[in-house]
Amino acid sequence: MKYSPLLSELISALTCLPGVGNKSAQRMAFSLLERNRDGALKLSAVLHNAMEHIRHCERCRTFTEEPVCEICRHPQRNESGLLCIVESPQDVLAIEQTSSYQGMYFVLMGHLSPIDGVGPADIGLDELEARLKKEPVEEVILATNPTVEGEATAHYISQLCDSMNISATRIAHGVPVGGELEYIDGNTLTHAFSGRRKL
Amino acid sequence: MKYSPLLSELISALTCLPGVGNKSAQRMAFSLLERNRDGALKLSAVLHNAMEHIRHCERCRTFTEEPVCEICRHPQRNESGLLCIVESPQDVLAIEQTSSYQGMYFVLMGHLSPIDGVGPADIGLDELEARLKKEPVEEVILATNPTVEGEATAHYISQLCDSMNISATRIAHGVPVGGELEYIDGNTLTHAFSGRRKL
Ligand SMILES: [Zn+2]
Ligand SMILES: [Zn+2]
């Protein structure tokens, strides 16, 4: 004997969530059925809506349900001449929460990783190059994670900038090596931005 | 700046899941958007279906999308004269996986807890009493958890059985005091069933 077909299906479907195994999925299913059917119905509707409508921003590649995201549409930011390169949308949020940066972003949605077959085109560097040719960017700020892959990605992009005579800087001290950008406190990030140096 | 409205809504909706805070919800949202939109759409559909259709079995109170669950419809089990009382559907599954019990169940969906305002009617004891009056039950097996509340609930039901001249037994050794039934291995549960004693 197992649970009823629909209940088994629910438990199985919940394991699509990262970090959720069969036992956690069981607890989630029973908890929702017993105590929060409204919340579950709301989650069902939002999940559907989000998966159908959230795409990548045409300019910066971050997740958004509009063709171009709010930051990319911001007039003053467009005139700043600053373009900050990050690995993920979470990194954009972390930087925005410091209020210390008022430029544009480009979100790689990953980093170079030849072992996993992730090359320049997979992280949008074709689009980045086209954008750098078209837009008056004065400085590219490389805010990839201070990991081996993040550093390699920053190095690759700095060479691309060199070849186009665009200044490339790397965010600096305060970011512990081996750490992940999205977990660093705002103060440390602010210092890292102000201490950036030319590559 | 925050995430886009729909992305913020998705992150917030995911926190309805037990044990999922804002940070986990962010990770889930990004993981689904980046790597598993099909899984998320499937989860959305199953969640809706489950919340709309899964109700309590009319006889044993477990979760099922049918009026009466599969176990309650089983002819041999109906003739067994045995009725096992458990706190949750997970407990039914744990017992079924031992294959050592072939009777019926009654699922309290909780336990007596005066402090939290959970009285006899809240755990279906009115229905249980009506069922004991109507059906030829020879033995009620009390398999509530060996916690303070579980023991108090077992005691309360055993008195109900006494007043109706129905034999009530309590599952016995092997179940560690203070533990939770659903985490106990099948062998231990089998011993607990065979070693049950009259209250
Ligand atoms: Zn954008
Ligand atoms: Zn049933």
Side-chain angles (χ1 to χ4, degrees), chain B residues 51-173:
Chain B
M51 296 304 138
E52 290 290 327
H53 295 112
I54 294 178
R55 295 286 174 261
H56 294 282
C57 170
E58 289 170 9
R59 289 192 71 202
C60 76
R61 289 167 52 94
T62 198
F63 285 125
T64 176
E65 61 268 30
E66 304 193 74
V68 175
C69 79
E70 195 184 329
I71 291 183
C72 287
R73 294 195 314 260
H74 194 285
Q76 280 83 44
R77 285 175 179 268
N78 268 287
E79 287 165 14
S80 70
L82 297 175
L83 184 65
C84 178
I85 316 281
V86 294
E87 296 186 23
S88 77
Q90 292 100 310
D91 297 336
V92 173
L93 189 70
I95 293 169
E96 286 298 296
Q97 279 167 350
T98 71
S99 302
S100 64
Y101 176 69
Q102 293 297 325
M104 307 287 286
Y105 291 94
F106 188 84
V107 185
L108 302 171
M109 303 299 300
H111 47 235
L112 290 177
S113 181
I115 283 181
D116 305 310
V118 180
D122 301 306
I123 57 170
L125 297 190
D126 296 352
E127 293 169 51
L128 177 62
E129 192 173 350
R131 183 166 169 183
L132 292 176
K133 275 180 187 152
K134 206 173 53 183
E135 292 177 28
V137 174
E138 286 156 32
E139 179 182 350
V140 167
I141 302 174
L142 297 160
T144 51
N145 284 324
T147 56
V148 173
E149 295 88 355
E151 293 292 354
T153 306
H155 184 69
Y156 186 97
I157 299 173
S158 79
Q159 289 185 313
L160 177 69
C161 294
D162 271 354
S163 73
M164 304 175 80
N165 283 316
I166 296 170
S167 173
T169 57
R170 178 87 174 106
I171 56 167
H173 45 282

Side-chain angles (χ1 to χ4, degrees), chain A residues 3-6 9-10 27 30 34 37 42 44 46 48 51 54-55 63 65 90 93 182-183, chain B residues 3-6 9-10 27 30 34 37 42 44 46 48 51 54-55 63 65 90 93 182-183:
Chain A
Y3 294 123
S4 74
L6 186 50
E9 212 185 336
L10 174 60
R27 290 202 161 268
F30 286 110
E34 283 168 34
R37 291 188 187 229
K42 167 92 180 161
S44 164
V46 175
H48 186 270
M51 296 304 138
I54 294 178
R55 295 285 172 261
F63 285 125
E65 62 268 30
Q90 292 99 312
L93 190 69
E182 63 172 302
Y183 291 112
Chain B
Y3 294 123
S4 74
L6 187 49
E9 212 185 335
L10 175 60
R27 291 201 161 266
F30 286 110
E34 283 170 32
R37 291 188 187 229
K42 167 90 180 163
S44 164
V46 175
H48 186 269
M51 296 304 138
I54 294 178
R55 295 286 174 261
F63 285 125
E65 61 268 30
Q90 292 100 310
L93 189 70
E182 62 171 306
Y183 292 111

Side-chain angles (χ1 to χ4, degrees), chain A residues 41-111:
Chain A
L41 285 171
K42 167 92 180 161
L43 173 58
S44 164
V46 175
L47 257 182
H48 186 270
N49 202 1
M51 296 304 138
E52 291 291 326
H53 295 112
I54 294 178
R55 295 285 172 261
H56 294 283
C57 170
E58 288 169 11
R59 289 192 71 201
C60 75
R61 291 166 51 94
T62 199
F63 285 125
T64 175
E65 62 268 30
E66 303 192 74
V68 175
C69 79
E70 195 183 330
I71 291 182
C72 287
R73 295 195 313 261
H74 195 285
Q76 280 83 45
R77 285 174 179 268
N78 269 287
E79 288 166 15
S80 69
L82 298 174
L83 183 65
C84 178
I85 315 281
V86 293
E87 295 186 22
S88 76
Q90 292 99 312
D91 297 336
V92 174
L93 190 69
I95 293 168
E96 286 298 297
Q97 279 166 353
T98 71
S99 304
S100 63
Y101 177 69
Q102 292 298 324
M104 307 287 285
Y105 291 95
F106 188 83
V107 185
L108 302 172
M109 301 300 297
H111 47 234

Side-chain angles (χ1 to χ4, degrees), chain B residues 176-195:
Chain B
V177 173
E180 298 210 331
L181 213 75
E182 62 171 306
Y183 292 111
I184 295 161
D185 66 278
N187 202 14
T188 308
L189 267 177
T190 301
H191 279 287
F193 265 75
S194 65

Side-chain angles (χ1 to χ4, degrees), chain A residues 97-134:
Chain A
Q97 279 166 353
T98 71
S99 304
S100 63
Y101 177 69
Q102 292 298 324
M104 307 287 285
Y105 291 95
F106 188 83
V107 185
L108 302 172
M109 301 300 297
H111 47 234
L112 290 178
S113 180
I115 284 183
D116 305 310
V118 181
D122 301 306
I123 58 170
L125 297 191
D126 296 351
E127 292 169 52
L128 177 62
E129 192 172 348
R131 183 166 169 184
L132 292 176
K133 276 180 185 152
K134 206 173 56 186

